[in-house]
Amino acid sequence: MGTTRERTQKPRYESPEATMDPVRNLAELLTLPDFEAASDAVLDQGCRAYVAGGAGTDRTVRANIAAFDDIWLRPRVLASTTTEPRTDVTVLGHHLSMPVLLAPTSPQRLLHEDAEIATSLAAEAAGIVPVVSTDSHVPFPEIAKASGQAGWFQLYAYRSRDDIAATIDMAETAGATALVVTVDASHAALRVHAQRAGFSTPGHVDFGTLRALGILEGEVPAGARIDRLSLSWEDLLWIRARTRLPLLVKGVLRADDARRCLDSGADGVIVSNHGGRQLDGAVPSVVALSEVAAEVDGRCAVLMDSGIRSGVHVVKALALGADAVCLGRPYLWGLSVAGREGVEAVLRLLRREIEDTLRQLGAADVNELGPHFVAKAGAGAAAGAA
């Protein structure tokens, strides 16, 4: 592939078939953190640190999860919930079997040889949508062809507007059904956790979409990242005019930025701090969610990511104003443990947890959820400092 890095070396993970009975052991994983522990058992130190770690001290990584503990559920009693709770939603015209999408993550070949093909097939089987990164290992058109659905395409900006335009054209031609512009990761972050673990991109990992576009030549950098453009509001307006696809802006944590995204023609915003991987000390996404949802007031779709670790978390996010959530690290844990089957197991578990939470809450449908089902206690960001 025009690189001096050895690309025939064995993938940097242990085959699940060699270490475990996937069916028996997947059935024993009863929570999403159980999948994290199973993933830790098969990944090497560097890959574990790359997936788990964030920027700086990892304070925001911890706070994203801890902030959910400051949100309490207020169940209704004597509510008739004898039927199976409905979990399906429609977001920007896409019908989802549950209010979950797979967040863009990369490079997935770190975790399993089937990479984005496995995750996209699992999403299709679950009736949800994958958001595929520009930094995917497998070229985006190949993912779309192999999985039967292109999903949404997450856009990183590289080199020039000409390259951005070529990337958008490629996504549209391959069948992408929405464009997600990530705006909080233009600058490389200080990923201390990964650096301390000695993470370096192994030779079997590639950026196939970038290579197909001619943006990447030679080796994949050791830190699994190449330099990006720093986008401006003018660039967002240009991108909006350049594509016919529904446009979402990912990385919004402020009401004023959400309003300006809406004014710039965005069809949706994703409340996100990049899983704590960019700015150490950034406000937890679920803390910012209510403010953003109130600002846009139903005029565009609102999604959120960062810190989702259970079906209870999903329900809390929807009650605070999200139309759906984007799941990141947990499906990567499933991928590393058992490929497509592992991702499917994570999604089945998450669906069961959402259904159970709705029953216990006295809600028959996720579309009933609203602020009357939750109570807040304290400032979630402080909990992450421990």
Side-chain angles (χ1 to χ4, degrees), residues 96-270:
L96 307 174
S97 68
M98 59 178 169
V100 176
L101 299 89
L102 298 187
T105 61
S106 66
Q108 293 181 23
R109 186 71 193 281
L110 282 171
L111 307 174
H112 193 275
E113 61 186 345
D114 294 335
E116 294 86 9
I117 301 293
T119 55
S120 292
L121 286 169
E124 181 183 27
I128 65 172
V129 172
V131 187
V132 181
S133 174
T134 304
D135 292 350
S136 62
H137 172 83
V138 180
F140 182 67
E142 293 183 22
I143 298 168
K145 182 177 180 180
S147 66
Q149 67 164 341
W152 295 4
F153 182 78
Q154 177 263 349
L155 177 70
Y156 280 133
Y158 288 107
R159 296 201 309 191
S160 68
R161 281 192 174 182
D162 286 343
D163 286 301
I164 297 172
T167 306
I168 294 171
D169 290 345
M170 177 274 303
E172 291 181 347
T173 300
T177 51
L179 188 70
V180 177
V181 182
T182 295
V183 295
D184 64 348
S186 296
H187 308 289
L190 297 176
R191 304 271 175 86
V192 177
H193 194 158
Q195 290 176 21
R196 283 179 173 159
F199 172 78
S200 182
T201 311
H204 66 276
V205 169
D206 202 2
F207 286 161
T209 297
L210 294 179
R211 201 174 292 283
L213 288 164
I215 293 173
L216 174 65
E217 298 176 353
E219 294 186 354
V220 176
R225 179 193 170 103
I226 64 176
D227 290 339
R228 298 176 186 143
L229 294 178
S230 181
L231 292 175
S232 66
W233 289 106
E234 290 74 19
D235 292 322
L236 182 62
L237 286 167
W238 176 81
I239 291 170
R240 171 68 285 176
R242 187 65 181 70
T243 182
R244 57 178 175 77
L245 295 174
L247 179 69
L248 298 95
V249 181
K250 180 178 183 293
V252 177
L253 292 170
R254 298 167 55 106
D256 54 350
D257 283 342
R259 183 189 327 115
R260 194 162 181 184
C261 288
L262 191 61
D263 293 342
S264 299
D267 300 291
V269 294
I270 302 180

